[in-house]
Amino acid sequence: MKQDNMHLINKIFNNETIRTVWDNEDEKYYVSVIDIVRVLLDDEYQDSRNYWKVLKHRLKKEGNETVTNCNQLKLKAQDGKYRLTDVVDIEGMFRIIESIPSKNAEPIKQWLAHLGKERIDEVFDPSLTMQRAIDTYRAKGYDEAWISKRIKGIQERKRLTDVWKDGGVEKTREYAMLTNEIYKSWSGMKANEYKQFKGIRKESLRDNMTDIEVLLTDLGEIATRDIAESEHPQGFKENMKVARKGGQVANDARKSYEKAIKKSAISNQNALNYQYIDDKKQIENK
């Protein structure tokens, strides 16, 4: 089970985030055990981590195969740090649920069953994935023109990561560092700093950009891709230099734009007016 083969997909159950990863090699979902345990316990038992620790020890003592086959992956925690987290496939999760008395057991079982079917359907018809993304953006209040540009941006991003992969860059962490270099070169901020500036945390940075910010981001990434296709950099260090060049192209465009309109191209506004107060997200109506 290799982390590099995994693709993190956060899923939502009753407004609770369930960290879920898709294994490209095994073609199956792995779900964070602690997240499911938290949902199952609800308000009945707040310390889900300790609950799972005790239950895991008991199941292991009983020779439960699910616990034996339990894997650990580095998943992003609420504080933004990556920690080793127990994960199991959907079949294994069903067995764990059977060991936890909870009024939420049946709804979460149905949710997991749907999750498995959803992915199988998407394997046979990839357009379902795109349609689901479109429906989600519509539900959040984005207009059709914005959604169309966002989907096109996703496609362009994939072309960039393909070029990086051809250049010997394969680790997810390195992709993130290269992306940060592009952002920093044109905006002066890494992605996490840019999010903080906009007052968002888990939300997608690009989803909360203004039109000009999206265009400058696209320009930086497209320039990086085109330069890489021309220079054929190999390895992380060479690609980092190219990412810096691509970001600089966008920075030059930013300066021209700001000179023309006499104000900053970078906005601290986010798309849906997110505000974090006492660590609880409040969303104002647009």
Side-chain angles (χ1 to χ4, degrees):
M1 190 177 187
K2 297 178 180 178
Q3 182 94 36
D4 290 345
N5 291 327
M6 304 292 172
H7 177 54
L8 178 63
I9 309 170
N10 285 333
K11 296 289 185 178
I12 304 297
F13 172 80
N14 287 355
N15 295 320
E16 291 283 350
T17 299
I18 309 294
R19 289 170 295 174
T20 311
V21 291
W22 174 252
D23 188 331
N24 294 317
E25 192 171 292
D26 292 341
E27 294 193 340
K28 64 162 65 173
Y29 274 124
Y30 286 90
V31 186
S32 166
V33 178
I34 195 70
D35 291 352
I36 296 292
V37 171
R38 186 183 67 249
V39 171
L40 288 169
L41 296 178
D42 199 11
D43 293 331
E44 298 172 9
Y45 195 107
Q46 292 296 327
D47 198 345
S48 51
R49 191 171 299 280
N50 281 341
Y51 186 99
W52 168 236
K53 184 179 180 180
V54 173
L55 177 61
K56 181 181 178 181
H57 178 74
R58 177 169 67 81
L59 293 175
K60 197 170 185 179
K61 196 173 181 180
E62 294 173 356
N64 187 293
E65 289 186 7
T66 300
V67 177
T68 304
N69 296 329
C70 191
N71 294 284
Q72 286 193 323
L73 293 174
K74 280 191 175 182
L75 300 183
K76 192 174 184 179
Q78 290 184 345
D79 61 5
K81 295 181 179 179
Y82 286 81
R83 295 187 176 89
L84 284 173
T85 306
D86 287 337
V87 297
V88 295
D89 61 18
I90 291 177
E91 184 181 354
M93 190 60 74
F94 271 105
R95 291 174 182 154
I96 291 175
I97 292 171
E98 293 294 333
S99 303
I100 304 175
S102 169
K103 65 178 184 285
N104 290 328
E106 198 55 38
I108 199 69
K109 283 181 184 178
Q110 294 176 9
W111 181 83
L112 286 168
H114 178 73
L115 181 66
K117 178 182 180 299
E118 179 183 282
R119 182 59 201 182
I120 291 171
D121 290 344
E122 290 172 358
V123 168
F124 285 102
D125 185 1
S127 67
L128 292 174
T129 306
M130 195 66 71
Q131 186 58 52
R132 189 169 290 110
I134 291 171
D135 291 341
T136 300
Y137 282 130
R138 284 173 177 162
K140 286 186 174 182
Y142 293 101
D143 61 42
E144 297 302 314
W146 185 96
I147 294 172
S148 178
K149 287 188 287 187
R150 182 67 177 101
I151 297 302
K152 187 175 185 299
I154 293 172
Q155 294 172 319
E156 293 297 330
R157 170 70 181 181
K158 180 63 168 60
R159 289 181 62 188
L160 173 60
T161 56
D162 284 345
V163 169
W164 281 340
K165 188 173 182 179
D166 290 341
V169 180
E170 295 185 355
K171 295 181 180 179
T172 303
R173 180 172 175 273
E174 291 180 339
Y175 286 163
M177 291 173 71
L178 290 171
T179 302
N180 270 335
E181 192 62 31
I182 296 173
Y183 276 126
K184 188 175 180 180
S185 294
W186 78 261
S187 73
M189 296 178 283
K190 295 180 181 179
N192 64 326
E193 295 169 337
Y194 210 151
K195 281 187 172 186
Q196 186 176 5
F197 177 70
K198 282 185 170 290
I200 58 176
R201 296 179 184 173
K202 292 183 179 180
E203 297 79 17
S204 165
L205 175 56
R206 194 184 288 256
D207 286 358
N208 287 280
M209 287 181 167
T210 63
D211 287 345
I212 187 62
E213 287 175 310
V214 170
L215 285 171
L216 291 171
T217 300
D218 287 344
L219 178 59
E221 293 190 346
I222 291 171
T224 299
R225 184 195 70 209
D226 290 348
I227 294 169
E229 288 178 338
S230 173
E231 298 184 0
H232 306 291
Q234 289 298 310
F236 175 72
K237 288 185 178 180
E238 289 187 14
N239 274 283
M240 180 64 84
K241 294 177 182 178
V242 171
R244 197 171 297 124
K245 289 181 182 178
Q248 188 59 50
V249 171
N251 186 49
D252 292 342
R254 173 192 169 185
K255 289 177 180 177
S256 295
Y257 173 85
E258 291 177 339
K259 185 177 180 181
I261 67 167
K262 295 180 174 57
K263 71 175 185 179
S264 176
I266 297 176
S267 169
N268 63 356
Q269 298 298 306
N270 56 62
L272 300 178
N273 294 323
Y274 290 115
Q275 288 186 335
Y276 282 93
I277 302 175
D278 295 331
D279 289 333
K280 292 183 178 180
K281 183 175 68 177
Q282 297 182 348
I283 305 178
E284 301 174 352
N285 292 329
K286 293 180 69 176

